Amino acid sequence: MAFPTETVYGLGANAVNAEAICRLFEAKKRPLDNPPIVHVARDEDVEELAKNVPDDARKLMQLFWPGPLTLIFERSKIVPDVTVAGMDTIAIRMPRHNVALALIRESGCPIAAPSANLAGKPSPTSAQHVLADLNRRIDAVLDAGSTDIGVESTVLDLTVAPPQILRPGGISYEALVDGIGEVELSAVATAEKAFTGERARSPGMKYRHYAPNAEVILVEGPVEAIVSKVRELVESYRAKGKRVGVLATEETARFYHQVVVKSLGSRKDLESVARNLFGLLREFDSERVEVIVAEGLPVEGLGLAVMNRLRKASAHRQIRAA
Ligand code: TXA
Ligand code: MG
């Protein structure tokens, strides 16, 4: 069943039951080589799932669990191959949501849960989003309203030195550096460039992700330059007869006319921006927008996670405005 976490809704199954995990992949139409995150409700559960727990991990668990931080460990023998896509490592996190924690405790097993969307679609931040993708493909969804953070957890690999961020998310790079000192940002995490399959250490990173049906074009640079570039792009797509949308911010939304304009919130409030991102991408689709021109945002705090998702949604059609 699908359930809420503080980041996005997950689709859960018993992590140590291979058959259940296979059905999870099937429901999501997810490629079998992309393993889900295993969710736990107690620190002790990590000892069973991971072969060893390094000091950095203990520190991070104390600082950020329950919360939006997924840690990669070497895996123990009790984990079925299919749960980790045959890899030697396992991704584990403790979610900060009462419904998620209650579900894990009542189930009495670790729960593997990828985001509860169809593979490739934006992650669901409400039960409605889950049903839009998975109605009739899953048994149930626990509805606890909209999620708080809106982007997925940060994935941090602790099997390398220094630890490496494979996916930026709800816990910022800055907070991790404060917590344990040296932390590396992998190139797939910043997503500044397209990455080929072989080089992607986090298997999920090689697939096109977070993508609405509409084509996404991302414009990066200083704000004034972004606005004039977006206006120029809007005009050229409108001239081609396309239905155009602009993913704007509170400070800039009034500069765009005769297009579907949606505001992520203030550029100074990247928490709201993250919370609104996936829902707005889905709204453009339901309004049959064909091209979404998206404004780039600052890559600090949650902004890095937002920009990672937008760069991937745009399939790296990034334009630098100067
Ligand atoms: O916030 C979240 O993390 C949500 C909620 C439901 O907890 N879950 C989520 O799961 O986003 P999913 O499966 O959609 O994304 C998991 C990411 C994928 O990019 C996957 O490739 C990566 O974690 N991952 C899983 N196991 C891994 C491993 N052993 N090594 C490296 N990356 C791994
Ligand atoms: Mg996902």
Side-chain angles (χ1 to χ4, degrees):
M1 67 165 70
F3 63 96
T5 78
E6 79 280 34
T7 56
V8 302
Y9 275 71
L11 180 61
N14 183 346
V16 291
N17 180 326
E19 198 183 320
I21 300 299
C22 288
R23 290 192 49 199
L24 192 94
F25 280 99
E26 215 175 278
K28 264 187 71 91
K29 302 191 182 169
R30 172 151 163 158
L32 277 163
D33 65 353
N34 188 12
I37 292 168
V38 176
H39 295 66
V40 298
R42 303 175 313 171
D43 282 358
E44 301 91 272
D45 298 333
V46 175
E47 316 284 341
E48 303 221 321
L49 298 165
K51 197 149 93 186
N52 59 340
V53 183
D55 289 343
D56 273 351
R58 291 191 198 279
K59 184 146 190 220
L60 290 168
M61 287 156 62
Q62 188 144 38
L63 284 171
F64 299 111
W65 280 12
L69 177 66
T70 295
L71 302 174
I72 308 286
F73 299 92
E74 280 167 43
R75 65 139 156 165
S76 76
K77 295 221 161 54
I78 70 159
V79 183
D81 281 344
V82 60
T83 303
V84 293
M87 307 209 308
D88 302 327
T89 53
I90 181 169
I92 309 178
R93 88 173 185 103
M94 187 188 295
R96 190 178 67 222
H97 194 294
N98 288 338
V99 174
L101 291 169
L103 177 70
I104 301 164
R105 288 199 189 102
E106 289 299 316
S107 306
C109 60
I111 294 199
S115 49
N117 51 290
L118 281 176
K121 292 287 155 206
S123 290
T125 54
S126 72
Q128 287 70 35
H129 296 162
V130 173
L131 291 176
D133 280 12
L134 299 177
N135 196 13
R136 293 170 202 283
R137 302 184 65 82
I138 61 174
D139 294 329
V141 51
L142 297 176
D143 184 352
S146 290
T147 59
D148 183 32
I149 294 176
V151 291
E152 303 89 338
S153 62
T154 300
V155 177
L156 183 70
D157 189 349
L158 293 170
T159 68
V160 293
Q164 202 177 43
I165 295 180
L166 300 179
R167 177 179 76 180
I171 297 289
S172 69
Y173 166 75
E174 294 88 340
L176 291 175
V177 171
D178 274 353
I180 54 165
E182 206 183 349
V183 174
E184 219 171 78
L185 257 176
S186 74
V188 284
T190 59
E192 274 163 346
K193 291 193 285 280
F195 249 78
T196 57
E198 290 69 47
R199 300 195 51 198
R201 292 241 325 292
S202 188
M205 294 302 170
K206 67 182 179 230
Y207 297 106
R208 187 179 177 218
H209 250 110
Y210 314 109
N213 296 325
E215 183 183 341
V216 177
I217 293 155
L218 176 61
V219 182
E220 299 186 32
V223 184
E224 303 75 40
I226 288 178
V227 170
S228 53
K229 191 70 191 175
V230 169
R231 288 169 59 110
E232 186 186 314
L233 286 166
V234 163
E235 277 324 304
S236 80
Y237 281 102
R238 265 168 46 84
K240 288 182 200 150
K242 295 272 190 198
R243 186 165 161 77
V244 188
V246 176
L247 188 59
T249 47
E250 208 172 283
E251 290 84 355
T252 57
R254 67 197 155 94
F255 297 119
Y256 309 119
H257 309 285
Q258 294 178 296
V259 285
V260 182
V261 182
K262 296 190 186 289
S263 169
L264 287 163
S266 170
R267 295 183 154 265
K268 296 187 206 99
D269 182 2
L270 294 170
E271 263 103 54
S272 318
V273 167
R275 194 176 299 127
N276 294 327
L277 176 68
F278 288 142
L280 292 186
L281 290 177
R282 282 178 182 263
E283 277 183 28
F284 280 119
D285 274 350
S286 47
E287 292 170 40
R288 297 182 324 284
V289 163
E290 294 165 289
V291 181
I292 301 168
V293 185
E295 293 182 353
L297 289 143
V299 288
E300 64 209 30
L302 279 185
L304 180 63
V306 171
M307 286 299 283
N308 166 285
R309 308 309 185 265
L310 284 174
R311 284 166 176 163
K312 286 164 155 285
S314 77
H316 302 283
R317 270 183 312 258
Q318 293 149 238
I319 295 178
R320 183 147 288 278

